[in-house]
Amino acid sequence: MISQIQKFTDSSYFTNALKITIAAVTPVLLFTFIGDFQIGFTIALGAFLTYPSDIPSSLKDKIRGIFVTLLIISGANLLVNITYPYPWIFYPFLAISIFFLALLSVYGKRGTVVSFSALLSVSLAFAHLGTGREMFLHAGLLLVGGLFYLAVSLIFNYVKPYRYLELQIVECIKLTAKYLKLRGDLWVPTADKKAIIEKQLHLQVELNDIHENIRQVLNSDYSGTSNQNRKLLIVFISLVEILELALSTSFDHNKLHQKFDKHPEVLLTYQTLAYNLASNLKKLSKSVKNKNNYIPKTNLIRDLNALELAITHYSNILEKKDASEGVFMLTTMMQYAEKQVEKIKIVQRAFASKLNSYEFNGRDKDLEKFLTPQYYLWSTLFENLSFSSTLFRHSLRLTVTILLGFIISKVLAFHNEYWVLLTIVVIMRPGYGLTKSRSFDRIFGTIVGGLIAFGILFFIHNNIIISALTILSILLGFSFTQTNYKISATFVTMYIVFVYGLLTPNVEEVIQYRIIDTLVGSSLAFLANHFLWPSWEFLNIPIYLKNSIQANQNYLKEISILYNKKSEVSTSYRLARKNAFIEIGNLMSSFLRMAQEPKSKQKQLPQVYKLAVLNHTLLSSSASLGTYIQSHTTTSASKAFNVVVNAVAKNLNNAMTLLNEKSIDESEKTDKADLEIRFTELKNIRVRELKEGIPMDEEAFQLKLQEAQLVIEQLIWLVNLSENIVKTTKVLMKPQPQTEINPLKTFFASNNPEALS
């Protein structure tokens, strides 16, 4: 129990919650003590509204982002107060401001959080409408609250400048270990391969997010001078390479299990090694997080020796000719494992402070190229002023819903209309699935949190105890925001009840209004996402598929260049690898969003999933080929090799053409007979090169021949995968029969938003 609490309090989520709790509670306590609670509360509100913009980034970007946010939130609040007395100005201003503030999401992650804070500020402006000097004072206090939060955040940053990065690295190590464990699961003959691959795809989504967070912070202002930062950079690069090596064990597992059916102990020995690789990484992540000395859980060198002995035993009990293919497969697997052990030891030495400065040389070169660039250009905003933009439709939908919620609140004389608006802003997301889940979580949290808080207030009347529970509720509420929204909503509701319990005698009546407001806001958000120009995921799937296929094609191109030029691994190669990982994660995220939508909108879901798996397998096969080329002394790439690679690239081009709703030229289809000739040619070239090269005995010659065969088999596998991608894409893009039309959806043009443009 104590270890679980310690684990929770040491997380980055708890640290962030602690920052906002300190920034919000301090001014309230201070100004309450001197007799002006309202000023303290307004400053705390400014801190609350600024907090979302404190996202992973360099220190310079963090300060800029928070400054822009606090200027926008105080400015938006002031303008609402200025225009409110003039309805003919106020309503057009409210509609336009909500729309363009929502559209700030086009500027990526930072734009999204700034947009969220600004919309919260507009909603909360109706809780305190002032005139004259009062409204300027209120906006100024919001600004002060934002500046105070910035100061608290910077103090945390300077006290523990690397803790956030270390925790992100720890999470990356843990997820990488989990990925290695899943790869090890594939070696069980009875393994559910479909379920394992699905878990790998889910994990890739998480790894993409954590990798991007780490890159953002590694590119900080002190990255060039800090020894600690550069060590963490080496750890991160090693983890990415471990992930690529894990992907590189791309074998036909059915074929392997059949081949070693009578010798299962060989595969079990390798599986033990794979599991221990994952186990060591997992133990390392715990040691780093708890700041303990790392003691290896298992001896990886001993596991490698055991695998080598198992290979030798397998070779001895079979004739060399019969065993040669299996021996080479196992030897290749062992070589990949040796490299993973080597990378894991680099990570271990980094945290044991045993890395020398020469090991840093060149490792942080061109790091900024690996960051996702963010350009805050006006043209980006203008390009999204179209119904073809998902974020444009979301902004329009949000604007209509908020205006509708505001009008309903006025007509029905709700106690506080701002709570309806606040609920809509907090719940409503571009995707249907997330909005739906947050609606239910918010309602659940409001009801449960209200019941718990009322129960506590019924028995406890001591203001000091209630104040302590208020602070605890806000701390826990923000701690769970990113991990469990249902729990977060529960604690936030408890916090609100406790605050009203301290301030008003009729807390029950006030909370009843809050529950009604929450139900109305949640219902409006849910219905709007279903009927007002919804962004169904099947409309976006072709884009994610094209991006993933294009990224795989670029990665394969870089592998071909590496094979042809025999050069060092270039920055462009690593960039192509990074983009391929990211795009397969994005594709899987899109699939998951689609799976949360109504059944009628899950168009061609099996084909989408199949294409995600095919793209992931293609990435794995490409990584296998790329890793092999890096780790072996290969001969010059022949014309036949390039012809085969070009055939794969051509198939991928055809798939992208189909996704663009264009037809492909079947007359230019790759000749299968020609490819067979090319594969034979590749093998003959390799045989000739081996015979003309360094003299070797027959056994060594056969092993080298098997080495050549591995490259050829990977190429055959790549061709087959690319052809399957084309076939599945054809099925995906095949016109579907029209379903019955819903008149209400037709009215709102939900399935054809372009019709309104």
Side-chain angles (χ1 to χ4, degrees), residues 332-350:
T332 302
M333 289 152 53
M334 187 172 75
Q335 288 169 347
Y336 287 159
E338 285 172 345
K339 288 189 174 296
Q340 283 182 319
V341 171
E342 178 187 326
K343 300 296 180 186
I344 290 173
K345 287 193 173 297
I346 289 174
V347 176
Q348 292 171 0
R349 285 165 52 214

Side-chain angles (χ1 to χ4, degrees), residues 94-222:
L94 183 64
I96 293 170
S97 61
I98 290 172
F99 176 79
F100 280 102
L101 288 174
L103 201 58
L104 289 177
S105 297
V106 300
Y107 293 117
K109 189 174 183 180
R110 189 173 295 283
T112 300
V113 293
V114 172
S115 169
F116 178 68
S117 291
L119 290 168
L120 285 180
S121 180
V122 170
S123 302
L124 287 169
F126 298 104
H128 187 280
L129 292 167
T131 57
R133 179 176 173 272
E134 184 185 358
M135 62 185 179
F136 286 97
L137 176 62
H138 188 79
L141 290 174
L142 291 178
L143 192 66
V144 170
L147 290 172
F148 183 61
Y149 174 79
L150 175 60
V152 172
S153 181
L154 291 177
I155 290 170
F156 269 76
N157 187 74
Y158 283 114
V159 170
K160 291 186 175 182
Y162 301 106
R163 192 54 183 160
Y164 174 80
L165 184 54
E166 286 174 354
L167 290 174
Q168 292 293 294
I169 289 285
V170 164
E171 188 66 17
C172 186
I173 295 173
K174 188 173 75 173
L175 292 176
T176 305
K178 192 174 179 181
Y179 196 92
L180 293 181
K181 169 67 167 56
L182 287 172
R183 298 297 288 187
D185 290 342
L186 288 169
W187 298 98
V188 179
T190 57
D192 185 347
K193 296 179 181 62
K194 182 179 178 181
I196 293 171
I197 290 173
E198 187 172 344
K199 288 178 182 177
Q200 286 178 345
L201 288 168
H202 282 251
L203 201 54
Q204 190 67 59
V205 176
E206 295 182 66
L207 281 164
N208 283 352
D209 289 339
I210 210 82
H211 284 175
E212 190 63 20
N213 285 347
I214 292 171
R215 289 188 187 100
Q216 290 288 350
V217 183
L218 279 171
N219 193 41
S220 62
D221 302 275
Y222 41 77

Side-chain angles (χ1 to χ4, degrees), residues 364-576:
D364 55 353
K365 182 181 178 183
D366 297 329
L367 175 63
E368 68 279 358
K369 292 182 180 179
F370 290 85
L371 299 174
T372 303
Q374 290 294 335
Y375 302 109
Y376 303 103
L377 304 175
W378 285 107
S379 57
T380 305
L381 199 66
F382 295 139
E383 286 168 4
N384 280 273
L385 294 176
S386 165
F387 266 98
S388 60
S389 167
T390 299
L391 290 174
F392 176 88
R393 298 204 298 276
H394 169 66
S395 301
L396 188 60
R397 185 188 316 124
L398 185 63
T399 303
V400 172
T401 309
I402 288 178
L403 290 175
L404 191 60
F406 187 77
I407 293 168
I408 289 173
S409 301
K410 286 290 185 184
V411 171
L412 299 180
F414 280 12
H415 192 262
N416 286 113
E417 68 269 9
Y418 76 88
W419 198 261
V420 176
L421 310 188
L422 192 68
T423 301
I424 293 169
V425 170
V426 169
I427 288 176
M428 208 160 180
R429 291 293 178 268
Y432 172 87
L434 186 55
T435 299
K436 178 183 175 182
S437 63
R438 285 176 79 94
S439 296
F440 290 129
D441 289 347
R442 176 86 174 185
I443 293 169
F444 174 88
T446 300
I447 295 172
V448 173
L451 291 173
I452 294 172
F454 278 126
I456 292 172
L457 289 176
F458 183 79
F459 292 104
I460 298 175
H461 304 285
N462 186 301
N463 284 351
I464 295 176
I465 296 176
I466 295 172
S467 297
L469 291 173
T470 304
I471 295 171
L472 181 62
S473 295
I474 189 176
L475 179 61
L476 293 175
F478 278 99
S479 296
F480 285 102
T481 300
Q482 299 297 324
T483 55
N484 193 319
Y485 188 69
K486 189 180 292 182
I487 294 177
S488 175
T490 301
F491 280 112
V492 168
T493 302
M494 289 172 64
Y495 155 72
I496 293 168
V497 174
F498 290 145
V499 168
Y500 278 108
L502 290 168
L503 298 178
T504 63
N506 59 334
V507 62
E508 294 87 355
E509 182 182 343
V510 173
I511 298 305
Q512 286 174 14
Y513 288 126
R514 290 293 175 271
I515 293 174
I516 294 171
D517 294 341
T518 298
L519 289 171
V520 172
S522 299
S523 301
L524 286 173
F526 175 70
L527 292 171
N529 257 48
H530 195 90
F531 294 112
L532 295 181
W533 317 288
S535 303
W536 301 120
E537 202 59 38
F538 73 84
L539 298 170
N540 302 320
I541 281 290
I543 298 171
Y544 290 110
L545 280 169
K546 279 186 287 186
N547 290 343
S548 182
I549 293 170
Q550 181 72 67
N552 268 328
Q553 188 186 57
N554 291 340
Y555 184 33
L556 186 59
K557 179 183 176 183
E558 289 295 330
I559 292 169
S560 178
I561 291 171
L562 185 68
Y563 194 26
N564 277 273
K565 292 187 176 180
K566 300 295 183 293
S567 57
E568 292 292 323
V569 175
S570 63
T571 299
S572 60
Y573 175 93
R574 290 191 289 138
L575 275 171

